[in-house]
Structure formats: C-alpha cells, structure tokens
Amino acid sequence: MIRSYNKNSIFPVAVVGWVTSIVQQAEASQKRINAFLHEKPSIQNTAKNSSEIEGNIVFKNVNFTYEDTKIQALKNISFSIEKGKTLAIIGNIGSGKSTIANLIARMYDVDSGNIFIDSIKISDVNLYDLRKSIGFVPQDSFLFSETIQENIKFGKQNATEKEVITAAKNAYIHHNIIEFKNGYNTMIGERGVTLSGGQKQRISIARAIIGKPKILIFDDCLSAVDTETEEIILKRLKNISKNVTTIIISHRISSVKRADTILVLEEGKIIQQGKHTDLIKKEGYYKQIFDQQLLEKSI
Ligand code: ADP
Ligand code: MG
C-alpha cells in the first residue's frame, strides 16, 4: 500500500490514517506487520483524469475480508448517503464500523459488491483526489512531537494562522490552546505538554476539518470527551458541514441521534437502519442501547 503511494502528491489526512493503522497493527502483532510488508501494493490508482468529489456514497452488496486474518468484516452491506448528509454507524467492537470507513477511503478493495462515489465505481475514481477530499479522524488520534499549530496544519500545509484558529474553534479546542503559555506554538509530546485524550481528539478533529474536506469521517473520535463537549463540537460541525458528507462512528446514542440515517452493525451485517426517532420505537439493539444509556445518564 505504502509503496503505491505517489511521493509527489500530498494527502496529509490519509497519511494520518495510515500511520495510525500501521501503529495499531504493530501493537496487534509482529506477524501482521510482516504480512503487511510483504503484501503487494494492491490499491492502485487507475484513473488518468482528476475526479471532482462531491460526496455521494453508495455501498451495494459489499463483502470484505481482511486477507491476513481471513476475517470477513463486512457481509452484504448496502446503504447510501447523499452529499451533505450525515450517516452514523453504531455497533459493538469488531462489528465492522471502522472497516466501512477504511473502504470509503479505499484503504482496501472489496471482495465483491460495489462502492460508488458520485455514481462512479470507487476503483475508477482518482485515488489521490478521493483521499484529498476525505477528512479522517481516526479512533486513536495520532499527534506528532511538534507544535500544536504544526499538528493542525498537517491537514492543510499552507493554512493561514486564521484558518488554524478557525479550525481549532470549530473543534472546540481553541480555548484550551490559548491557556498554554506558548499558545499555538506549544510543543506536544515528550518535549512539551501532555494533553488529555479529549484534547488530542479535538486537535485531531481540527486537523481533519481545516482542509475543508467533502467527506468527513469521525471514527469513534469523541469517545474521550464528555457528552457536553461532544454536543458543542457536533453543533459547530453541523454549521460548517452543510455541504460535507459526514460519517459518525460511535457507540454513544448522543453522537448518532441527529444523523439522517443510522446503521446498526452486528458481526459485519446491518441489523437495523433508520432515523433515531424510528429506531427507538422498535424493539432491537438500538432501543436497548438507548434505554441503557438513558439509565446511565439518570444515575
Ligand atoms: P469496529 O470498528 O466495529 O470495532 P472493525 O471494522 O475494526 O470493527 O473490525 C471488524 C473485524 O475485522 C474484527 O473482527 C477485526 O478483528 C477485524 N479487523 C479489523 N482490522 C483488521 C486488520 N487491519 N487486519 C485484520 N483484521 C482486521
Ligand atoms: Mg473501530
């Protein structure tokens, strides 16, 4: 995968996803790393022309198996999101949520079925334009030992200071940053400040939104912030993402309830699909989680 990467093109956001996935694999097992390194670059860009991405996404009977583990992560998945709409995905760990996100960014190709981006088969869409159009906030935010400003600018190399601040405000992290003595020039990591999980996630969000992506993917990236902060971030996002297709992956009802469509995944299958108001009326996984989280809140 890495070797098929064109050095002349910069896809900062996609790189963050890759780096994270590599780190995760490293943690998972050395065996996987070896398999990964020996893997032929399977994802190729075949499109000669550039693609203007609008953000309509369609999955049609998609099956996907991870080659190394032979785990079939997705089974006959079909759904569609129109550009500018919000899709939420909820389900237990291992149900296939992140895999859907990975396939939208074409980190892997499907076994069978099809994914269409703006009615074009994803394999025919210009890979570089696709990845440039996606703002990806991974589950485990990955920050560099650099300044806060550099970390945010990783999402748009030539961003102005004003753009950095706007992104930070929309990610609800600006007020934290200005409290540091060196503000946006504060170093992160070993040589600098230690950030909380929630702060890291919000910097990672600022990085994803600064490039004004057409498709924004939040992979469980609000898990470390409290529900009030989450509420603020999601409201701000709503304002800036009117024309942005947004995919929110979460195990929290509070994150997914406003979505235009919610997918409930179980073991790689969609077991429920609909809007919050409809799903809470039906017996099933969603209502169960809803009742449970309502109870937790009241306690
Ligand atoms: P979720 O995001 O809902 O927790 P995932 O999409 O990450 O679920 O995983 C779905 C299934 O695929 C799980 O069984 C998981 O172990 C497996 N899986 C996920 N990522 C990889 C990978 N990089 N290589 C092999 N198997 C994987
Ligand atoms: Mg996941």
Side-chain angles (χ1 to χ4, degrees):
M1 244 193 301
I2 294 285
R3 275 165 295 163
S4 69
Y5 196 60
N6 180 344
K7 270 197 226 117
N8 299 322
S9 317
I10 302 163
F11 317 102
V13 185
V15 171
V16 179
W18 281 344
V19 172
T20 322
S21 73
I22 293 167
V23 172
Q24 281 167 348
Q25 290 197 30
E27 284 166 3
S29 78
Q30 185 62 40
K31 213 163 136 194
R32 269 193 195 172
I33 282 270
N34 291 342
F36 179 81
L37 290 174
H38 293 119
E39 206 175 290
K40 270 196 230 119
S42 56
I43 308 297
Q44 304 276 4
N45 178 44
T46 51
K48 293 203 172 57
N49 300 322
S50 60
S51 305
E52 181 82 44
I53 309 292
E54 290 194 42
N56 298 287
I57 302 169
V58 174
F59 272 54
K60 217 169 172 188
N61 308 110
V62 169
N63 289 292
F64 175 74
T65 306
Y66 283 101
E67 221 176 274
D68 50 354
T69 52
K70 306 279 178 255
I71 290 172
Q72 188 179 353
L74 297 181
K75 295 163 191 160
N76 202 30
I77 298 292
S78 299
F79 65 86
S80 59
I81 331 168
E82 267 173 55
K83 65 172 177 187
K85 300 278 183 201
T86 301
L87 174 89
I89 311 175
I90 193 165
N92 289 335
I93 292 174
S95 58
K97 304 183 297 296
S98 296
T99 304
I100 290 183
N102 291 340
L103 293 186
I104 292 171
R106 205 178 157 216
M107 303 291 204
Y108 306 93
D109 282 327
V110 301
D111 303 349
S112 64
N114 276 305
I115 298 172
F116 298 95
I117 305 289
D118 301 328
S119 309
I120 298 167
K121 248 167 98 170
I122 196 166
S123 51
D124 294 333
V125 173
N126 187 301
L127 184 63
Y128 310 122
D129 291 327
L130 174 69
R131 292 197 179 151
K132 254 196 298 188
S133 309
I134 296 176
F136 195 100
V137 190
Q139 214 159 342
D140 304 299
S141 34
F142 184 90
L143 300 180
F144 301 98
S145 300
E146 279 288 347
T147 64
I148 291 175
Q149 168 153 243
E150 286 304 320
N151 269 280
I152 296 175
K153 276 176 90 171
F154 196 68
K156 188 183 177 189
Q157 309 277 323
N158 58 357
T160 62
E161 199 181 319
K162 199 172 158 222
E163 286 175 307
V164 171
I165 293 173
T166 304
K169 279 186 178 164
N170 286 325
Y172 196 51
I173 184 71
H174 173 74
H175 64 290
N176 291 138
I177 298 172
I178 55 172
E179 273 177 12
F180 295 128
K181 196 172 74 195
N182 294 322
Y184 280 83
N185 293 318
T186 304
M187 289 292 296
I188 297 176
E190 280 161 42
R191 291 183 288 148
V193 294
T194 307
L195 300 169
S196 72
Q199 288 173 336
K200 281 188 201 160
Q201 290 187 334
R202 282 176 284 144
I203 288 177
S204 180
I205 290 170
R207 170 161 64 199
I209 60 182
I210 196 169
K212 295 206 164 52
K214 286 291 181 187
I215 299 169
L216 192 55
I217 303 176
F218 273 26
D219 190 353
D220 221 343
C221 62
L222 291 167
S223 58
V225 302
D226 58 65
T227 42
E228 267 166 49
T229 307
E230 174 187 49
E231 193 87 353
I232 294 168
I233 296 171
L234 291 175
K235 269 195 193 130
R236 289 187 183 188
L237 272 182
K238 192 113 202 153
N239 291 333
I240 60 158
S241 68
K242 283 201 181 75
N243 298 310
V244 181
T245 307
T246 308
I247 293 138
I248 298 178
I249 295 173
S250 181
H251 56 276
R252 270 196 207 154
I253 297 288
S254 55
S255 300
V256 305
K257 66 182 180 200
R258 285 193 205 84
D260 297 299
T261 309
I262 301 166
L263 303 182
V264 183
L265 284 194
E266 189 177 79
E267 292 177 6
K269 288 189 203 129
I270 297 175
I271 53 165
Q272 290 187 289
Q273 182 164 352
K275 280 185 189 301
H276 173 80
T277 44
D278 299 326
L279 289 171
I280 52 170
K281 285 181 203 139
K282 290 178 204 143
E283 287 308 317
Y285 181 94
Y286 193 86
K287 187 176 183 302
Q288 229 172 300
I289 298 291
F290 175 71
D291 290 343
Q292 189 187 320
Q293 292 185 5
L294 210 59
L295 191 70
E296 281 165 10
K297 212 175 155 187
S298 68
I299 295 167

